[in-house]
Amino acid sequence: MSKSTAPNLQCGAKLLDLSSPVVMGVLNVTPDSFSDGGSFVGLDKALARAGDMLGCGAAIIDVGGESTRPGAAPVSVQEELDRVVPVVEALVQEFQCIVSVDTSTPEVMLAAARVGAGLINDVRALQRPGAVEVVAGLDLPVCLMHMQGKPETMQKNPKYRSIEREVVEFFVRRIDACLSAGVSRQRLLLDPGFGFGKTLEHNVELLSGLTGFLSLGLPLLVGVSRKTMIGDILGKPVDQRLHGSVAAAVLAVERGANIVRVHDVLETVDALKVVAAIRRRQVSAR
Ligand code: 8Y7
């Protein structure tokens, strides 16, 4: 078992306790989101969905307005702002939770921070022009995710000499870029980016060897929920990947993940409560 050594994370005005693993609930606000068909585009629906996930025990709501699914239509800065910022603002006002913004766009990072976002989740690890500078001017943590290639083409024959080594090398480069720009180490989280320029074998190797990333000394975020890797293992479509996703989340936490990004909050929170009870070697109903 890997014991978490992650400290608390200051997320703007709120403190995220990472002494035990927490669940981040996915809130897509795209019209083309693959697993919820864009059914949460309206503000009311987004708030209701977030409220459900918080009631089920999510600690963070991750709001995303850009689909990174291969072949997804690109979104303009203005459109992303229009989709994301009102939802972030409403969530911050309505709920006592940490709102994460899933974006690579500096303008969206800035606008979301201004309305109270507590975390930046960037699948491009602040590589868009201006992103690292904008984050340096904010006081928020940021998740640096690994991706090989670009969303449009990343699943066309991804190749690595050694995936674990290459992902670590990427993390080291991006951590250095952040430190150079004035983003302190205490603000960084890492994510190997399951499914982002990776075959099934690559994903399995990464999850199996997740403890290898702990040596970087930063909190780990993992997103495997409903992904193709689960579907490929099971031979099942996206609406039948719940149990496989929960199993993968449990294994990620057991290997040291501090945050798991999921669609199915209730089921994942229950599974992690059982994990926590076994870790404490005591059982208590709560
Ligand atoms: C991840 C993510 C997605 C992930 C982090 C999906 C936005 C695809 N996946 N962010 N975003 N990690 N940090 O299937 O694995 O949810 S979008």
Side-chain angles (χ1 to χ4, degrees):
M1 185 190 87
S2 327
K3 194 171 183 317
S4 167
T5 53
N8 290 337
L9 197 64
Q10 191 65 49
C11 297
K14 289 166 194 126
L15 196 64
L16 179 63
D17 177 5
L18 289 182
S19 60
S20 54
V22 300
V23 169
M24 167 188 270
V26 177
L27 185 65
N28 287 316
V29 290
T30 60
D32 58 351
S33 311
F34 83 98
S35 60
D36 58 25
S39 52
F40 300 112
V41 171
L43 193 57
D44 288 351
K45 283 186 175 174
L47 283 173
R49 172 80 181 129
D52 281 351
M53 292 194 286
L54 292 167
C56 292
I60 310 167
I61 301 294
D62 189 40
V63 181
E66 182 217 15
S67 175
T68 43
R69 183 178 54 145
V75 55
S76 72
V77 172
Q78 191 57 52
E79 174 140 30
E80 199 188 343
L81 284 166
D82 293 344
R83 286 180 190 171
V84 167
V85 180
V87 176
V88 171
E89 185 167 30
L91 288 174
V92 168
Q93 285 171 2
E94 190 86 5
F95 301 110
Q96 269 302 318
C97 73
I98 293 164
V99 181
S100 158
V101 58
D102 152 24
T103 188
S104 302
T105 311
E107 293 89 339
V108 176
M109 295 172 183
L110 187 59
R114 284 188 174 141
V115 297
L119 179 74
I120 311 282
N121 175 28
D122 186 2
V123 299
R124 294 178 183 80
L126 306 183
Q127 292 180 100
R128 280 217 177 131
V132 73
E133 291 81 1
V134 160
V135 169
L138 304 174
D139 206 15
L140 297 180
V142 56
C143 179
L144 305 171
M145 198 197 78
H146 174 270
M147 165 163 43
Q148 184 182 80
K150 297 189 163 94
E152 308 82 64
T153 50
M154 65 189 179
Q155 290 308 106
K156 287 188 183 158
N157 200 18
K159 278 200 165 59
Y160 298 84
R161 282 170 289 105
S162 156
I163 185 157
E164 285 190 54
R165 188 149 28 121
E166 286 176 54
V167 173
V168 167
E169 286 166 4
F170 173 85
F171 286 153
V172 169
R173 284 199 303 278
R174 296 313 301 154
I175 293 167
D176 283 349
C178 285
L179 297 180
S180 305
V183 181
S184 64
R185 207 179 165 86
Q186 303 88 264
R187 289 211 268 147
L188 302 178
L189 301 97
L190 303 174
D191 183 336
F194 289 92
F196 286 85
K198 284 135 192 140
T199 63
L200 174 59
E201 288 69 29
H202 294 141
N203 289 314
V204 165
E205 191 176 335
L206 276 184
L207 185 52
S208 165
L210 197 70
T211 51
F213 300 112
L214 296 176
S215 59
L216 290 163
L218 296 176
L220 292 182
L221 194 157
V222 162
V224 286
S225 177
R226 300 184 185 173
K227 282 188 178 173
T228 301
M229 70 178 283
I230 308 294
D232 285 348
I233 292 169
L234 301 177
K236 288 188 171 171
V238 68
D239 62 339
Q240 294 169 36
R241 297 176 187 169
L242 167 62
H243 307 92
S245 298
V246 172
V250 165
L251 293 172
V253 161
E254 198 58 5
R255 286 161 171 73
N258 303 97
I259 304 175
V260 284
R261 182 181 177 278
V262 309
H263 302 83
D264 302 291
V265 174
L266 174 76
E267 294 83 352
T268 309
V269 167
D270 273 1
L272 296 190
K273 280 183 184 169
V274 173
V275 171
I278 308 301
R279 281 182 170 184
R280 287 194 310 267
R281 301 181 68 186
Q282 60 184 8
V283 180
S284 59
R286 24 167 92 204

